[in-house]
Each structure stands twice: as C-alpha cells, then as structure tokens.
Amino acid sequence: MRNMGVSDFPDAFKETREAKGVCPFNDQDDPVAMLLRFKDVRKSAHDYKSFISGAVPGRIVIPSEVNIRDTRQIPFEVDPPEHTEYRALVEDWFKRPFDSTYEAGLESIILSELEKVLKKGSCEAISELSLPIQSRALTLLLNIPLKEAETWISWGTHVFRSEDSNLDADKASILYDYIDAEIDRVIAQPDDSLYSVLLNSEYQGRKMTKEEVKGVLVLTFAGGRDTIINYLTNTMAYLGEHPEAMDQLRNNPALVNTAIEELVRYFSPLTHMGRVVAQEKEVCGHVAKEDTRISLCWASANRDEAVFENPNDVVLDRKMNPHVAFGFGTHKCLGATHARQLMKVFLRVFTQKVGKLTVVNAVENIEDWGEHQRKVGFDRLEIELNPIE
Amino acid sequence: MAKITYITKEGESLVFEASSGSLMELAVKNKVPGIDGDCGGVCSCATCHVHVAPAYYEKLEAPSEIEADMLEFDDNVNEYSRLCCQIPVSDAVDGITVEVAN
Ligand code: HEM
Ligand code: HEM
Ligand code: FES
C-alpha cells in the first residue's frame, strides 16, 4: 500500500456502512442515528414528512446549536409547504452566478488573490487564498461592495468557534450582531443587495420580518463559509500532489465540468445534516423513534460502493456521478450554483497561472463522530507556488 | 444535424438543431426555461427532467439504473420521464419532442 498523502481523504465510515448502515452518535445527550448508505440517505432526504427540518432552531445541526441560538434559519429549518414559498422567493437570486458578469467578477477576485501569493512564492493557503476568495466571492452573491469582505476576513476561519469550545455563543453573536446592524442600515438606505430584495419580499401576503431576513442571511454566511473554504483548500492539496491533473485541466478546459463534481463528491465538505423524526419509522433496520434525531451522512453516501465504482479514487472525468455532496431533495443546497461557478473559475485561473504547487506543511482537520474520525479539511496548509513558465 | 423540440411549462415550442452533445447541453446553451443542468450532466441534480413524446420514448436506450433511481424521487415523474443530460444528440433523436417537467 502506498503512503497516505496530504490529499488523501479516507472513507471514514466504510466498515460501519457495510456492516450496519447506521451509526449511533451521542451529541449533548440528544443522540443521532447517522444513516450511512446512499439509498437510505436519499430516501430519507426525500421523506420530509417523516424526517423534518422545522424542529427547534439549531437541533438539526450536529453538534446541536439549540443552546446557542434562537433564530430560525430560512429556508433550511422550515418544511414544505412553508419551505416552498420561502425558497421560491430566493431561488432566482441564487441563480445569478450563471450570468457572465458574475463569472467575470469571480475571475477578477481569484486572479488578484492568486497574483498576490504568486509574487511571494509561498503562503498559508487557508488564510491567504481560501478565506479571502470565499469572502470576496460572497460579496457578489449578496451584491454588495467588495470592501465589505474585509470585515468577514478579519473574523478568521472559525467565526463560531473559540479556542476552548466548539460551540461558543459569544462568538456566534458576532455574526448575528453584524447582520442586525446591516439590516438596519439597509432599511435606512435601501440598495440593490440581497438584504433589500429580502426586505421587500412578501411571504404569505405580508412583508418579510427582520427576523426572517436575518434567518436567510445568516445561512449564506454559515452554510457557505467552511464548506467553500474546505472545497478550495482540499482542491489545492490535491493539485499539489497531482501535477498530471494540473496538465489535464489546463489542456482540456471542458474537463472542469466533471472535475468540480468529482472533487465535491470526494471531499464532501458538509459531512452530514440532521433531521428530527416526526413519526416513528424504520430505516435500515433501525427504528427511528418519534422526536429523536437521524442524520443524512452525505460524506458516507458519496463513497458507497453500491453506487460508485472505485469510490476512493478521484476520477476527474467520472461520467455518472449522482453524488449528494450538495444534499438531495427539498433542501438541496441553495448556494450550489455559486459554489460550482466559483470552483470552475478557480480551476481555470489556477491552472493557467500556476505551474507547480508544493505542499510544505499540512495540519489536518479531523472531525470526531464518536466511533468515526473523518478528515474534512485542514487547519493549516502551507504551500509554495511557482508561476507557469 | 438533429432537430430537437422543447416544450416549456408555458406551452411554448422552442426548436434547436445540433450534431453533438446532449439534449441538456443544447437546452442550456439556448436557455430553455426549466432546464438548468446544474451538475453539468453527471446525473446528480435532476434539473434536466423532461417528458419525452411517447413515440420517441421507445426509440431511446432505456435509462441506466442510476438515472432511474434519480427520477424515482423527482417531482412530476411519469412513464415518459427522462433526465435529458443522458440523451445524446444524434440522428436517432432527429425530430424528437420533449416537454420540460418542472
Ligand atoms: C462546496 C460548498 C457547499 C456544500 C458542499 C454545501 C452543502 C450543502 C448541503 C449538503 C445542504 C443540504 C442540507 C440539508 O439537507 O439539510 C446544503 C443546504 C444549503 N446550503 Fe449549501 N453547501 C455549499 C455551499 C453553500 C453556499 C456558498 C451557500 C450560500 C452562500 C449555501 C447555502 C445553503 C442553503 C441556504 C441551504 C439550505 C437550503 C434549503 O434548506 O432549502 N451553501 N448545502
Ligand atoms: C447560524 C448558523 C450556524 C452556526 C452558528 C454554525 C456553527 C458552527 C460551529 C460552532 C461549527 C464548529 C463545529 C465543530 O467544530 O465541531 C461549525 C462548523 C461547520 N458548519 Fe456550521 N453553523 C451554522 C450553520 C451551518 C450550515 C447551515 C451549514 C451547511 C449547510 C454549516 C456547515 C458547517 C460545516 C461544514 C462545518 C465544519 C467546518 C470545519 O470543521 O472545517 N453550518 N458551524
Ligand atoms: S444535468 Fe444534472 S442530472 Fe442532468
């Protein structure tokens, strides 16, 4: 067997997925039955009547955030039929990344960040590339001035996390206070940002409340931050160890279309997401009791050998790739168009500008799900970059 | 060259010609409403769901298991449902009509 490289992301759930399919995980005395098989994950994601998202705010997130927030995230923590109406309000806005001006905006953001580090020759990839690119790109999605990203970058990678605790209410309040202030500013001075669009939207025949607007916006920060950062950082680690992939992407621009899907399958930046059981139901031989939690483990489903050939290999031109990295069904990722476009442009610009990437030092970020430890990304990734000859 | 007709949710017929690619790619290139092709054709998003005119449905190769499983959970599925990223443009589909499902 060859040695584990920095860009190898092992399948953490294989044994349990094959033997049992369900894995218990105790989270703050509100246990979760993690569903690990592709079929069960998709079926249960589809069954929004038995497995609901509209529980107490924070409960479907694992680890549970029930004790640190009251704001309901919208449309994430709402079920149909309410979900359908909320989602319809924002669906078109979240398709703006298809526009060519949006793509050009992404390109200029990525180019300018990359040129900065190419001049230096080396950098820490998360703080000097992934975070600034993610933050600046988010200004396009919200349609606000680029300079606003400076504030978000100053928060660092773990806005919600402190040194000694994974769930820190004080840190989470930085984001809430910021969004409250922004909403008030936009009420006083309307503009053409997502804030204004939401404030002017009607839900069930009345204006959206400030609390609802906040519920939507907080999600664009929370859901689109660590996920994108890991997607970008892990991809750089991969390119560093696979110079042949750099060449292939450079010489065959159409390859990015399948490559972005394969990389997001392989990395699965969001490991799983919970649901609360509304009515007792059997899944995979496990009786999910009413008012307990299950989770849909996207990361495990994406390595299921029953569906994917050679699931642990990165096959950039994988033709059939029904991955669930962006979720499945009702709550499938609203930010996926943005994420995909960002990655497409990133791969294009990166392979055109960078000749060689060398990983100098890596500190892995390992998630702890009881019996299972899963590598989801890095806490640090020091790299050297050489411009293309 | 194959001629492909898309019928939108509004009932409008849009006709395009192509000689390669998939029915999804042709629709996305021409901005057919209701066909987004989010996943680029790897069978992961179902945003390319169409109902194929019955006369043509039979002429197509049967859907793969992955496609069939994907369709099982989508809205507005009927016996003529297909993910049109899985239908290659070729002479075999010249004249085909597909209706946007969602
Ligand atoms: C590679 C990057 C990303 C990955 C892997 C990812 C993954 C996911 C997954 C798996 C879900 C489903 C959750 C569930 O079923 O409960 C989801 C939902 C969601 N994501 Fe993402 N996401 C990414 C980027 C983003 C971005 C950039 C945004 C916005 C800025 C975003 C906003 C959302 C929202 C709003 C939902 C909830 C949709 C709903 O409930 O209808 N995501 N995401
Ligand atoms: C206000 C809403 C949210 C808050 C306060 C929040 C809070 C947190 C906290 C405390 C962590 C650290 C957990 C740990 O280290 O074990 C975390 C990590 C994470 N969150 Fe959230 N979360 C929110 C919403 C979301 C949503 C909606 C998504 C995805 C759709 C998401 C995706 C992630 C991911 C992927 C990580 C892991 C990042 C990493 O370890 O590198 N979050 N979040
Ligand atoms: S384009 Fe995604 S399934 Fe057809």
Side-chain angles (χ1 to χ4, degrees):
Chain A
M1 225 176 84
R2 78 195 169 98
N3 288 333
M4 276 287 156
V6 287
S7 71
D8 284 316
F9 285 70
D11 173 6
F13 304 101
K14 185 179 168 68
E15 279 78 33
T16 316
R17 181 178 60 241
E18 283 166 8
K20 291 185 278 185
V22 188
C23 172
F25 172 65
N26 188 22
D27 167 32
Q28 304 165 62
D29 296 323
D30 186 6
V32 183
M34 299 172 69
L35 302 181
L36 301 177
R37 292 180 184 159
F38 182 86
K39 274 208 155 137
D40 295 323
V41 167
R42 281 222 308 210
K43 206 162 102 192
S44 309
H46 185 70
D47 186 0
Y48 63 82
K49 287 190 175 135
S50 308
F51 305 118
I52 64 169
S53 296
V56 179
R59 192 164 173 215
I60 63 166
V61 182
I62 305 160
S64 168
E65 292 164 4
V66 170
N67 296 322
I68 62 164
R69 68 172 160 104
D70 307 308
T71 300
R72 179 172 297 284
Q73 294 188 7
I74 297 170
F76 176 57
E77 292 177 317
V78 189
D79 296 300
E82 291 84 1
H83 175 272
T84 317
E85 188 178 343
Y86 279 126
R87 184 122 179 174
L89 291 177
V90 289
E91 198 85 55
D92 280 346
W93 182 272
F94 280 84
K95 284 185 188 166
R96 287 166 53 256
F98 283 130
D99 299 347
S100 56
T101 48
Y102 197 102
E103 201 178 329
L106 287 174
E107 183 165 328
S108 101
I109 287 166
I110 294 167
L111 252 177
S112 83
E113 295 308 317
L114 203 54
E115 273 164 1
K116 266 186 247 171
V117 299
L118 272 170
K119 241 179 243 154
K120 288 174 54 185
S122 66
C123 74
E124 195 286 300
I126 301 172
S127 55
E128 298 180 64
L129 285 170
S130 307
L131 175 64
I133 289 172
Q134 178 275 332
S135 298
R136 298 206 162 99
L138 189 60
T139 66
L140 293 177
L141 191 61
L142 304 191
N143 203 25
I144 59 176
L146 188 62
K147 65 173 178 2
E148 197 57 30
E150 301 315 313
T151 308
W152 313 335
I153 294 168
S154 75
W155 292 338
T157 37
H158 300 305
V159 209
F160 312 116
R161 202 179 325 190
S162 61
E163 290 296 312
D164 41 70
S165 165
N166 273 343
L167 293 171
D168 187 319
D170 292 339
K171 284 213 99 183
S173 69
I174 295 179
L175 178 61
Y176 287 107
D177 294 348
Y178 168 81
I179 293 175
D180 280 335
E182 286 300 291
I183 291 174
D184 287 333
R185 194 179 55 73
V186 176
I187 288 175
Q189 218 167 12
D191 54 19
D192 49 9
S193 66
L194 178 59
Y195 293 90
S196 268
V197 169
L198 290 170
L199 286 164
N200 289 319
S201 294
E202 286 200 1
Y203 174 75
Q204 296 187 343
R206 53 148 181 89
K207 279 265 163 77
M208 291 262 274
T209 64
K210 270 164 76 168
E211 183 70 6
E212 285 169 327
V213 171
K214 180 167 143 185
V216 176
L217 279 158
V218 76
L219 197 48
T220 62
F221 285 95
R225 196 173 171 91
D226 293 334
T227 47
I228 295 270
I229 290 172
N230 285 337
Y231 194 13
L232 289 170
T233 312
N234 300 355
T235 296
M236 286 187 264
Y238 172 78
L239 293 174
E241 285 193 331
H242 296 271
E244 78 288 355
M246 294 264 272
D247 292 337
Q248 288 160 3
L249 287 161
R250 200 178 292 124
N251 300 332
N252 175 11
L255 185 60
V256 295
N257 294 316
T258 48
I260 60 168
E261 302 300 325
E262 177 66 345
L263 292 167
V264 81
R265 176 190 73 84
Y266 186 72
F267 299 135
S268 294
L270 186 62
T271 302
H272 62 161
M273 193 49 80
R275 296 288 187 268
V276 171
V277 183
Q279 53 208 42
E280 187 171 299
K281 184 119 190 176
E282 194 183 314
V283 243
C284 193
H286 164 86
V287 179
K289 291 232 169 61
E290 197 175 313
D291 200 38
T292 63
R293 297 193 291 171
I294 62 157
S295 85
L296 312 168
C297 189
W298 321 113
S300 168
N302 281 341
R303 300 292 180 98
D304 193 331
E305 285 191 2
V307 179
F308 301 97
E309 258 172 59
N310 304 323
N312 299 314
D313 294 346
V314 176
V315 182
L316 292 181
D317 63 352
R318 199 182 279 275
K319 302 263 163 350
M320 285 299 237
N321 191 352
H323 70 79
V324 288
F326 290 117
F328 185 75
T330 314
H331 293 280
K332 73 176 182 193
C333 182
L334 189 57
T337 310
H338 172 82
R340 284 174 159 130
Q341 201 66 282
L342 175 61
M343 192 47 128
K344 230 180 246 186
V345 177
F346 180 80
L347 284 179
R348 196 170 67 216
V349 173
F350 199 88
T351 52
Q352 279 164 6
K353 292 284 162 190
V354 179
K356 185 160 167 263
L357 183 161
T358 316
V359 175
V360 180
N361 185 32
V363 181
E364 296 181 339
N365 175 3
I366 311 282
E367 294 176 334
D368 190 358
W369 304 114
E371 262 179 61
H372 302 278
Q373 276 66 41
R374 172 172 193 252
K375 174 172 162 189
V376 65
F378 300 93
D379 286 330
R380 282 183 73 76
L381 187 74
E382 291 160 30
I383 58 174
E384 280 172 11
L385 294 176
N386 297 93
I388 203 149
E389 304 290 310
Chain B
M1 272 296 176
K3 200 169 87 178
I4 319 286
T5 304
Y6 300 88
I7 302 178
T8 67
K9 281 306 235 188
E10 271 70 50
E12 198 186 346
S13 289
L14 302 169
V15 186
F16 305 105
E17 290 191 345
S19 49
S20 64
S22 69
L23 262 62
M24 178 280 287
E25 286 166 324
L26 182 64
V28 168
K29 203 170 88 195
N30 292 289
K31 301 195 161 42
V32 174
I35 301 186
D36 292 340
D38 284 349
C39 76
V42 297
C43 225
S44 159
C45 72
T47 64
C48 64
H49 179 182
V50 295
H51 300 146
V52 178
Y56 275 91
Y57 186 87
E58 303 304 328
K59 293 189 190 171
L60 301 174
E61 258 181 63
S64 65
E65 190 185 336
I66 286 178
E67 182 186 340
D69 285 350
M70 193 74 195
L71 279 167
E72 185 189 339
F73 293 120
D74 208 40
D75 296 332
N76 295 323
V77 182
N78 71 19
E79 59 193 306
Y80 302 112
S81 282
R82 290 296 307 262
L83 296 176
C84 72
C85 65
Q86 302 302 311
I87 308 178
V89 172
S90 74
D91 290 340
V93 298
D94 187 22
I96 196 173
T97 299
V98 299
E99 215 169 304
V100 175
N102 289 306

